[in-house]
Amino acid sequence: MVKDALRVDVIRNASYHIRIPFGSLMLSRFCGTVLAQIIFIPAAYWIKWVVPYL
């Protein structure tokens, strides 16, 4: 009986610890995507401006 209770508690804690890194990973990927857009869009306009002069 005690072993079953401990087993359920371990499973609950494992699922909690899996959700936290997954959420932080998704937030990190979102922030990286936004940062890439902030960097690459002006770079694309700069390339568009420079290419006619080459």
Side-chain angles (χ1 to χ4, degrees):
M1 188 92 162
V2 174
K3 287 183 180 180
D4 291 336
L6 289 175
R7 187 176 301 142
V8 169
D9 190 42
V10 167
I11 291 170
R12 285 183 184 154
N13 283 338
S15 68
Y16 173 75
H17 290 297
I18 289 171
R19 281 187 224 146
I20 296 298
F22 181 74
S24 61
L25 175 66
M26 293 305 293
L27 181 63
S28 172
R29 290 185 63 147
F30 175 75
C31 291
T33 300
V34 170
L35 180 64
Q37 294 300 317
I38 290 170
I39 293 170
F40 289 134
I41 289 175
Y45 282 117
W46 183 80
I47 290 169
K48 181 182 174 182
W49 179 71
V50 169
V51 165
Y53 300 109
L54 294 180

PDB file of all heavy atoms in Angstrom, residues 31-43:
ATOM      1  N   CYS A  31      11.297  33.011 -28.258  1.00  0.00           N
ATOM      2  CA  CYS A  31      12.144  34.206 -28.142  1.00  0.00           C
ATOM      3  C   CYS A  31      13.226  34.207 -29.218  1.00  0.00           C
ATOM      4  O   CYS A  31      13.551  35.258 -29.781  1.00  0.00           O
ATOM      5  CB  CYS A  31      12.769  34.279 -26.758  1.00  0.00           C
ATOM      6  SG  CYS A  31      11.569  34.621 -25.462  1.00  0.00           S
ATOM      7  N   GLY A  32      13.777  33.045 -29.524  1.00  0.00           N
ATOM      8  CA  GLY A  32      14.775  32.957 -30.586  1.00  0.00           C
ATOM      9  C   GLY A  32      14.190  33.291 -31.946  1.00  0.00           C
ATOM     10  O   GLY A  32      14.839  33.951 -32.764  1.00  0.00           O
ATOM     11  N   THR A  33      12.969  32.876 -32.189  1.00  0.00           N
ATOM     12  CA  THR A  33      12.307  33.188 -33.458  1.00  0.00           C
ATOM     13  C   THR A  33      12.062  34.690 -33.582  1.00  0.00           C
ATOM     14  O   THR A  33      12.312  35.284 -34.636  1.00  0.00           O
ATOM     15  CB  THR A  33      10.978  32.425 -33.563  1.00  0.00           C
ATOM     16  OG1 THR A  33      11.257  31.020 -33.487  1.00  0.00           O
ATOM     17  CG2 THR A  33      10.262  32.729 -34.859  1.00  0.00           C
ATOM     18  N   VAL A  34      11.588  35.303 -32.514  1.00  0.00           N
ATOM     19  CA  VAL A  34      11.346  36.750 -32.535  1.00  0.00           C
ATOM     20  C   VAL A  34      12.663  37.495 -32.735  1.00  0.00           C
ATOM     21  O   VAL A  34      12.742  38.436 -33.533  1.00  0.00           O
ATOM     22  CB  VAL A  34      10.633  37.199 -31.240  1.00  0.00           C
ATOM     23  CG1 VAL A  34      10.591  38.711 -31.135  1.00  0.00           C
ATOM     24  CG2 VAL A  34       9.234  36.612 -31.184  1.00  0.00           C
ATOM     25  N   LEU A  35      13.712  37.087 -32.042  1.00  0.00           N
ATOM     26  CA  LEU A  35      15.023  37.727 -32.195  1.00  0.00           C
ATOM     27  C   LEU A  35      15.539  37.579 -33.624  1.00  0.00           C
ATOM     28  O   LEU A  35      16.077  38.532 -34.203  1.00  0.00           O
ATOM     29  CB  LEU A  35      16.018  37.126 -31.209  1.00  0.00           C
ATOM     30  CG  LEU A  35      17.428  37.691 -31.247  1.00  0.00           C
ATOM     31  CD1 LEU A  35      17.412  39.160 -30.853  1.00  0.00           C
ATOM     32  CD2 LEU A  35      18.341  36.902 -30.342  1.00  0.00           C
ATOM     33  N   ALA A  36      15.358  36.410 -34.218  1.00  0.00           N
ATOM     34  CA  ALA A  36      15.801  36.199 -35.600  1.00  0.00           C
ATOM     35  C   ALA A  36      15.052  37.124 -36.552  1.00  0.00           C
ATOM     36  O   ALA A  36      15.652  37.683 -37.474  1.00  0.00           O
ATOM     37  CB  ALA A  36      15.587  34.739 -35.999  1.00  0.00           C
ATOM     38  N   GLN A  37      13.764  37.311 -36.338  1.00  0.00           N
ATOM     39  CA  GLN A  37      12.997  38.215 -37.203  1.00  0.00           C
ATOM     40  C   GLN A  37      13.486  39.649 -37.048  1.00  0.00           C
ATOM     41  O   GLN A  37      13.593  40.384 -38.025  1.00  0.00           O
ATOM     42  CB  GLN A  37      11.507  38.127 -36.882  1.00  0.00           C
ATOM     43  CG  GLN A  37      10.897  36.793 -37.215  1.00  0.00           C
ATOM     44  CD  GLN A  37      11.013  36.451 -38.680  1.00  0.00           C
ATOM     45  OE1 GLN A  37      10.797  37.298 -39.526  1.00  0.00           O
ATOM     46  NE2 GLN A  37      11.366  35.230 -38.980  1.00  0.00           N
ATOM     47  N   ILE A  38      13.782  40.049 -35.816  1.00  0.00           N
ATOM     48  CA  ILE A  38      14.275  41.408 -35.570  1.00  0.00           C
ATOM     49  C   ILE A  38      15.610  41.635 -36.267  1.00  0.00           C
ATOM     50  O   ILE A  38      15.877  42.718 -36.790  1.00  0.00           O
ATOM     51  CB  ILE A  38      14.380  41.662 -34.051  1.00  0.00           C
ATOM     52  CG1 ILE A  38      12.980  41.744 -33.449  1.00  0.00           C
ATOM     53  CG2 ILE A  38      15.170  42.927 -33.756  1.00  0.00           C
ATOM     54  CD1 ILE A  38      12.962  41.762 -31.933  1.00  0.00           C
ATOM     55  N   ILE A  39      16.452  40.611 -36.310  1.00  0.00           N
ATOM     56  CA  ILE A  39      17.775  40.751 -36.940  1.00  0.00           C
ATOM     57  C   ILE A  39      17.701  40.597 -38.453  1.00  0.00           C
ATOM     58  O   ILE A  39      18.291  41.388 -39.196  1.00  0.00           O
ATOM     59  CB  ILE A  39      18.749  39.713 -36.348  1.00  0.00           C
ATOM     60  CG1 ILE A  39      19.031  40.042 -34.884  1.00  0.00           C
ATOM     61  CG2 ILE A  39      20.039  39.651 -37.143  1.00  0.00           C
ATOM     62  CD1 ILE A  39      19.785  38.965 -34.158  1.00  0.00           C
ATOM     63  N   PHE A  40      16.993  39.594 -38.950  1.00  0.00           N
ATOM     64  CA  PHE A  40      17.070  39.242 -40.368  1.00  0.00           C
ATOM     65  C   PHE A  40      16.238  40.133 -41.281  1.00  0.00           C
ATOM     66  O   PHE A  40      16.587  40.318 -42.438  1.00  0.00           O
ATOM     67  CB  PHE A  40      16.685  37.782 -40.584  1.00  0.00           C
ATOM     68  CG  PHE A  40      17.718  36.825 -40.058  1.00  0.00           C
ATOM     69  CD1 PHE A  40      17.342  35.730 -39.312  1.00  0.00           C
ATOM     70  CD2 PHE A  40      19.059  37.019 -40.315  1.00  0.00           C
ATOM     71  CE1 PHE A  40      18.292  34.850 -38.834  1.00  0.00           C
ATOM     72  CE2 PHE A  40      20.010  36.150 -39.837  1.00  0.00           C
ATOM     73  CZ  PHE A  40      19.627  35.062 -39.085  1.00  0.00           C
ATOM     74  N   ILE A  41      15.145  40.680 -40.804  1.00  0.00           N
ATOM     75  CA  ILE A  41      14.329  41.534 -41.676  1.00  0.00           C
ATOM     76  C   ILE A  41      15.082  42.806 -42.068  1.00  0.00           C
ATOM     77  O   ILE A  41      15.165  43.132 -43.249  1.00  0.00           O
ATOM     78  CB  ILE A  41      12.949  41.813 -41.050  1.00  0.00           C
ATOM     79  CG1 ILE A  41      12.119  40.525 -41.081  1.00  0.00           C
ATOM     80  CG2 ILE A  41      12.227  42.934 -41.781  1.00  0.00           C
ATOM     81  CD1 ILE A  41      10.789  40.621 -40.396  1.00  0.00           C
ATOM     82  N   PRO A  42      15.694  43.541 -41.110  1.00  0.00           N
ATOM     83  CA  PRO A  42      16.499  44.697 -41.541  1.00  0.00           C
ATOM     84  C   PRO A  42      17.693  44.295 -42.410  1.00  0.00           C
ATOM     85  O   PRO A  42      18.065  45.024 -43.340  1.00  0.00           O
ATOM     86  CB  PRO A  42      16.980  45.319 -40.229  1.00  0.00           C
ATOM     87  CG  PRO A  42      15.997  44.867 -39.221  1.00  0.00           C
ATOM     88  CD  PRO A  42      15.561  43.509 -39.662  1.00  0.00           C
ATOM     89  N   ALA A  43      18.274  43.134 -42.138  1.00  0.00           N
ATOM     90  CA  ALA A  43      19.387  42.664 -42.969  1.00  0.00           C
ATOM     91  C   ALA A  43      18.917  42.399 -44.395  1.00  0.00           C
ATOM     92  O   ALA A  43      19.640  42.700 -45.360  1.00  0.00           O
ATOM     93  CB  ALA A  43      19.992  41.401 -42.367  1.00  0.00           C
TER      94      ALA A  43
END
